[in-house]
Short mmCIF file of all heavy atoms in Angstrom, two decimals:
data_model
loop_
_atom_site.label_atom_id
_atom_site.label_comp_id
_atom_site.label_asym_id
_atom_site.label_seq_id
_atom_site.Cartn_x
_atom_site.Cartn_y
_atom_site.Cartn_z
N ARG A 34 -128.51 37.86 -62.29
CA ARG A 34 -128.51 36.47 -61.78
C ARG A 34 -129.16 36.36 -60.42
O ARG A 34 -129.92 35.46 -60.14
CB ARG A 34 -127.08 35.92 -61.73
CG ARG A 34 -126.39 35.93 -63.06
CD ARG A 34 -125.09 35.17 -62.99
NE ARG A 34 -124.53 35.10 -64.34
CZ ARG A 34 -123.62 35.92 -64.82
NH1 ARG A 34 -123.10 36.86 -64.05
NH2 ARG A 34 -123.19 35.79 -66.05
N ILE A 42 -132.23 33.07 -57.57
CA ILE A 42 -131.06 33.14 -58.45
C ILE A 42 -131.46 32.49 -59.78
O ILE A 42 -132.07 31.39 -59.79
CB ILE A 42 -129.88 32.37 -57.84
CG1 ILE A 42 -129.45 33.05 -56.55
CG2 ILE A 42 -128.70 32.31 -58.82
CD1 ILE A 42 -128.26 32.43 -55.84
N THR A 43 -131.19 33.16 -60.86
CA THR A 43 -131.56 32.65 -62.19
C THR A 43 -130.30 32.49 -63.03
O THR A 43 -129.53 33.43 -63.17
CB THR A 43 -132.50 33.63 -62.91
OG1 THR A 43 -133.51 34.02 -62.00
CG2 THR A 43 -133.12 32.98 -64.15
N LEU A 44 -130.13 31.31 -63.57
CA LEU A 44 -128.99 31.06 -64.43
C LEU A 44 -129.51 30.49 -65.74
O LEU A 44 -129.70 29.30 -65.88
CB LEU A 44 -128.08 30.02 -63.76
CG LEU A 44 -127.56 30.45 -62.40
CD1 LEU A 44 -126.98 29.26 -61.68
CD2 LEU A 44 -126.54 31.54 -62.54
N GLY A 45 -129.78 31.42 -66.66
CA GLY A 45 -130.44 31.02 -67.93
C GLY A 45 -129.70 29.88 -68.62
O GLY A 45 -130.31 28.86 -68.95
N GLY A 46 -128.38 30.01 -68.78
CA GLY A 46 -127.63 29.03 -69.55
C GLY A 46 -127.60 27.65 -68.92
O GLY A 46 -127.41 26.64 -69.59
N LEU A 47 -127.81 27.59 -67.62
CA LEU A 47 -127.66 26.32 -66.92
C LEU A 47 -128.97 25.58 -66.72
O LEU A 47 -128.97 24.36 -66.48
CB LEU A 47 -127.05 26.64 -65.53
CG LEU A 47 -126.30 25.54 -64.80
CD1 LEU A 47 -125.15 25.06 -65.69
CD2 LEU A 47 -125.78 26.06 -63.49
N ARG A 48 -130.08 26.30 -66.85
CA ARG A 48 -131.38 25.75 -66.46
C ARG A 48 -131.67 24.40 -67.10
O ARG A 48 -132.05 23.45 -66.42
CB ARG A 48 -132.50 26.74 -66.80
CG ARG A 48 -133.80 26.39 -66.14
CD ARG A 48 -134.87 27.42 -66.45
NE ARG A 48 -134.60 28.72 -65.86
CZ ARG A 48 -134.93 29.86 -66.42
NH1 ARG A 48 -135.55 29.90 -67.57
NH2 ARG A 48 -134.67 31.01 -65.82
N ALA A 49 -131.40 24.30 -68.40
CA ALA A 49 -131.74 23.06 -69.14
C ALA A 49 -130.95 21.88 -68.61
O ALA A 49 -131.36 20.72 -68.79
CB ALA A 49 -131.46 23.28 -70.61
N TYR A 50 -129.80 22.14 -67.99
CA TYR A 50 -128.93 21.02 -67.58
C TYR A 50 -129.08 20.63 -66.12
O TYR A 50 -128.53 19.63 -65.69
CB TYR A 50 -127.47 21.42 -67.83
CG TYR A 50 -127.19 21.67 -69.30
CD1 TYR A 50 -127.34 22.93 -69.83
CD2 TYR A 50 -126.80 20.64 -70.13
CE1 TYR A 50 -127.12 23.18 -71.18
CE2 TYR A 50 -126.55 20.87 -71.47
CZ TYR A 50 -126.71 22.14 -72.00
OH TYR A 50 -126.50 22.35 -73.33
N LEU A 51 -129.90 21.42 -65.37
CA LEU A 51 -130.00 21.15 -63.94
C LEU A 51 -130.53 19.74 -63.65
O LEU A 51 -130.01 19.07 -62.75
CB LEU A 51 -130.87 22.19 -63.26
CG LEU A 51 -130.17 23.54 -63.04
CD1 LEU A 51 -131.14 24.56 -62.46
CD2 LEU A 51 -128.95 23.42 -62.15
N PRO A 52 -131.53 19.21 -64.40
CA PRO A 52 -132.01 17.87 -64.10
C PRO A 52 -130.85 16.83 -64.21
O PRO A 52 -130.73 15.92 -63.41
CB PRO A 52 -133.08 17.62 -65.16
CG PRO A 52 -133.53 18.97 -65.54
CD PRO A 52 -132.35 19.88 -65.44
N ILE A 53 -130.01 17.00 -65.24
CA ILE A 53 -128.87 16.06 -65.41
C ILE A 53 -127.92 16.21 -64.22
O ILE A 53 -127.43 15.24 -63.64
CB ILE A 53 -128.10 16.31 -66.70
CG1 ILE A 53 -129.04 16.33 -67.89
CG2 ILE A 53 -126.99 15.30 -66.91
CD1 ILE A 53 -128.36 16.71 -69.22
N MET A 54 -127.69 17.46 -63.88
CA MET A 54 -126.72 17.69 -62.78
C MET A 54 -127.21 17.12 -61.48
O MET A 54 -126.46 16.56 -60.69
CB MET A 54 -126.46 19.19 -62.63
CG MET A 54 -125.82 19.76 -63.87
SD MET A 54 -125.50 21.54 -63.76
CE MET A 54 -124.08 21.56 -62.76
N ARG A 55 -128.54 17.21 -61.23
CA ARG A 55 -129.08 16.67 -59.96
C ARG A 55 -128.92 15.17 -59.89
O ARG A 55 -128.82 14.61 -58.81
CB ARG A 55 -130.57 17.03 -59.86
CG ARG A 55 -130.80 18.47 -59.50
CD ARG A 55 -132.16 18.68 -58.89
NE ARG A 55 -132.47 20.10 -58.82
CZ ARG A 55 -133.19 20.76 -59.72
NH1 ARG A 55 -133.71 20.13 -60.74
NH2 ARG A 55 -133.38 22.05 -59.61
N MET A 60 -119.46 15.21 -58.87
CA MET A 60 -119.00 16.39 -59.63
C MET A 60 -117.49 16.47 -59.47
O MET A 60 -116.94 16.15 -58.43
CB MET A 60 -119.65 17.65 -59.10
CG MET A 60 -121.16 17.68 -59.20
SD MET A 60 -121.86 19.19 -58.60
CE MET A 60 -121.80 20.15 -60.08
N PHE A 79 -121.20 23.25 -52.10
CA PHE A 79 -121.84 22.36 -53.08
C PHE A 79 -122.21 21.04 -52.45
O PHE A 79 -123.28 20.50 -52.63
CB PHE A 79 -120.88 22.10 -54.27
CG PHE A 79 -121.00 23.10 -55.35
CD1 PHE A 79 -120.33 24.29 -55.31
CD2 PHE A 79 -121.80 22.85 -56.45
CE1 PHE A 79 -120.45 25.25 -56.31
CE2 PHE A 79 -121.94 23.77 -57.46
CZ PHE A 79 -121.26 24.96 -57.39
N VAL A 107 -120.48 15.03 -63.79
CA VAL A 107 -120.56 16.44 -64.20
C VAL A 107 -119.22 17.08 -63.86
O VAL A 107 -118.75 17.00 -62.72
CB VAL A 107 -121.70 17.19 -63.47
CG1 VAL A 107 -121.60 18.71 -63.70
CG2 VAL A 107 -123.05 16.68 -63.97
N VAL A 108 -118.59 17.65 -64.87
CA VAL A 108 -117.25 18.22 -64.68
C VAL A 108 -117.35 19.74 -64.85
O VAL A 108 -117.91 20.23 -65.84
CB VAL A 108 -116.24 17.64 -65.68
CG1 VAL A 108 -114.83 18.05 -65.29
CG2 VAL A 108 -116.35 16.13 -65.71
N VAL A 109 -116.83 20.45 -63.88
CA VAL A 109 -116.90 21.91 -63.92
C VAL A 109 -115.47 22.46 -64.07
O VAL A 109 -114.59 22.15 -63.30
CB VAL A 109 -117.51 22.48 -62.59
CG1 VAL A 109 -117.59 24.00 -62.63
CG2 VAL A 109 -118.88 21.87 -62.35
N LEU A 133 -120.96 15.58 -68.88
CA LEU A 133 -121.50 16.94 -69.04
C LEU A 133 -120.43 17.93 -68.51
O LEU A 133 -119.98 17.81 -67.38
CB LEU A 133 -122.80 17.11 -68.24
CG LEU A 133 -123.38 18.55 -68.23
CD1 LEU A 133 -123.87 18.92 -69.64
CD2 LEU A 133 -124.51 18.64 -67.26
N SER A 134 -120.03 18.84 -69.35
CA SER A 134 -118.92 19.73 -68.99
C SER A 134 -119.40 21.17 -68.90
O SER A 134 -120.01 21.68 -69.83
CB SER A 134 -117.79 19.64 -70.06
OG SER A 134 -117.35 18.30 -70.10
N VAL A 135 -119.14 21.75 -67.75
CA VAL A 135 -119.64 23.11 -67.46
C VAL A 135 -118.45 24.04 -67.35
O VAL A 135 -117.50 23.73 -66.60
CB VAL A 135 -120.46 23.11 -66.15
CG1 VAL A 135 -120.91 24.51 -65.80
CG2 VAL A 135 -121.61 22.16 -66.23
N GLY A 136 -118.48 25.17 -68.03
CA GLY A 136 -117.36 26.11 -67.92
C GLY A 136 -117.74 27.30 -67.07
O GLY A 136 -118.80 27.90 -67.26
N VAL A 137 -116.91 27.62 -66.09
CA VAL A 137 -117.09 28.85 -65.30
C VAL A 137 -115.96 29.76 -65.70
O VAL A 137 -114.84 29.62 -65.27
CB VAL A 137 -117.06 28.58 -63.81
CG1 VAL A 137 -117.28 29.85 -63.01
CG2 VAL A 137 -118.05 27.52 -63.41
N THR A 151 -120.46 23.49 -74.28
CA THR A 151 -120.42 23.65 -72.82
C THR A 151 -121.41 24.72 -72.40
O THR A 151 -121.79 25.57 -73.19
CB THR A 151 -119.03 24.09 -72.34
OG1 THR A 151 -118.58 25.09 -73.21
CG2 THR A 151 -118.09 22.95 -72.25
N VAL A 152 -121.80 24.66 -71.18
CA VAL A 152 -122.65 25.68 -70.63
C VAL A 152 -121.72 26.72 -70.02
O VAL A 152 -120.83 26.40 -69.26
CB VAL A 152 -123.53 25.05 -69.52
CG1 VAL A 152 -124.47 26.10 -68.96
CG2 VAL A 152 -124.23 23.85 -70.05
N VAL A 153 -121.90 27.95 -70.40
CA VAL A 153 -120.93 28.97 -69.98
C VAL A 153 -121.59 30.03 -69.10
O VAL A 153 -122.66 30.53 -69.42
CB VAL A 153 -120.32 29.64 -71.21
CG1 VAL A 153 -119.32 30.72 -70.80
CG2 VAL A 153 -119.65 28.60 -72.08
N PHE A 154 -121.00 30.32 -67.99
CA PHE A 154 -121.47 31.43 -67.20
C PHE A 154 -120.25 32.01 -66.48
O PHE A 154 -119.16 31.49 -66.60
CB PHE A 154 -122.59 31.03 -66.27
CG PHE A 154 -122.24 29.91 -65.35
CD1 PHE A 154 -121.87 30.15 -64.06
CD2 PHE A 154 -122.34 28.61 -65.79
CE1 PHE A 154 -121.55 29.11 -63.19
CE2 PHE A 154 -122.03 27.55 -64.95
CZ PHE A 154 -121.64 27.83 -63.66
N THR A 155 -120.41 33.06 -65.73
CA THR A 155 -119.23 33.82 -65.33
C THR A 155 -118.90 33.84 -63.85
O THR A 155 -117.98 34.53 -63.47
CB THR A 155 -119.37 35.28 -65.78
OG1 THR A 155 -120.57 35.77 -65.22
CG2 THR A 155 -119.34 35.44 -67.26
N SER A 156 -119.57 33.12 -63.05
CA SER A 156 -119.20 33.20 -61.63
C SER A 156 -119.54 31.90 -60.90
O SER A 156 -120.54 31.27 -61.19
CB SER A 156 -119.91 34.34 -60.96
OG SER A 156 -119.80 34.20 -59.58
N THR A 157 -118.69 31.56 -59.95
CA THR A 157 -118.95 30.39 -59.18
C THR A 157 -120.21 30.48 -58.33
O THR A 157 -120.85 29.48 -58.04
CB THR A 157 -117.80 30.08 -58.18
OG1 THR A 157 -117.09 31.25 -57.96
CG2 THR A 157 -116.95 28.95 -58.61
N LEU A 158 -120.56 31.69 -57.96
CA LEU A 158 -121.77 31.85 -57.19
C LEU A 158 -122.94 31.25 -57.93
O LEU A 158 -123.90 30.75 -57.38
CB LEU A 158 -122.16 33.32 -57.07
CG LEU A 158 -121.24 34.42 -56.63
CD1 LEU A 158 -121.93 35.71 -56.92
CD2 LEU A 158 -120.98 34.24 -55.16
N ALA A 159 -122.80 31.33 -59.27
CA ALA A 159 -123.91 30.98 -60.13
C ALA A 159 -124.48 29.61 -59.86
O ALA A 159 -125.69 29.44 -59.82
CB ALA A 159 -123.40 31.09 -61.54
N LEU A 160 -123.64 28.64 -59.66
CA LEU A 160 -124.16 27.26 -59.53
C LEU A 160 -124.98 27.06 -58.27
O LEU A 160 -125.69 26.09 -58.17
CB LEU A 160 -123.00 26.26 -59.57
CG LEU A 160 -122.80 25.57 -60.89
CD1 LEU A 160 -121.69 24.56 -60.79
CD2 LEU A 160 -124.06 24.86 -61.36
N LYS A 161 -124.86 27.98 -57.35
CA LYS A 161 -125.55 27.79 -56.09
C LYS A 161 -127.04 28.13 -56.21
O LYS A 161 -127.60 28.81 -55.37
CB LYS A 161 -124.90 28.66 -55.01
CG LYS A 161 -123.51 28.24 -54.66
CD LYS A 161 -122.87 29.30 -53.81
CE LYS A 161 -121.39 29.08 -53.72
NZ LYS A 161 -120.67 30.28 -53.35
N SER A 162 -127.64 27.67 -57.26
CA SER A 162 -129.04 28.07 -57.48
C SER A 162 -130.02 27.12 -56.85
O SER A 162 -131.15 27.48 -56.54
CB SER A 162 -129.29 28.17 -58.95
OG SER A 162 -129.13 26.92 -59.52
N VAL A 163 -129.62 25.90 -56.63
CA VAL A 163 -130.59 24.91 -56.18
C VAL A 163 -130.45 24.78 -54.68
O VAL A 163 -129.95 23.80 -54.16
CB VAL A 163 -130.28 23.54 -56.81
CG1 VAL A 163 -131.51 22.68 -56.85
CG2 VAL A 163 -129.69 23.68 -58.19
#
Side-chain angles (χ1 to χ4, degrees):
R34 300 190 174 96
I42 296 180
T43 313
L44 303 165
L47 203 58
R48 193 177 294 146
Y50 298 89
L51 285 175
I53 307 176
M54 296 179 78
R55 285 201 192 97
M60 298 181 90
F79 272 84
V107 168
V108 190
V109 181
L133 176 66
S134 300
V135 178
V137 182
T151 43
V152 183
V153 179
F154 57 99
T155 56
S156 165
T157 21
L158 310 169
L160 258 183
K161 293 169 193 159
S162 63
V163 204

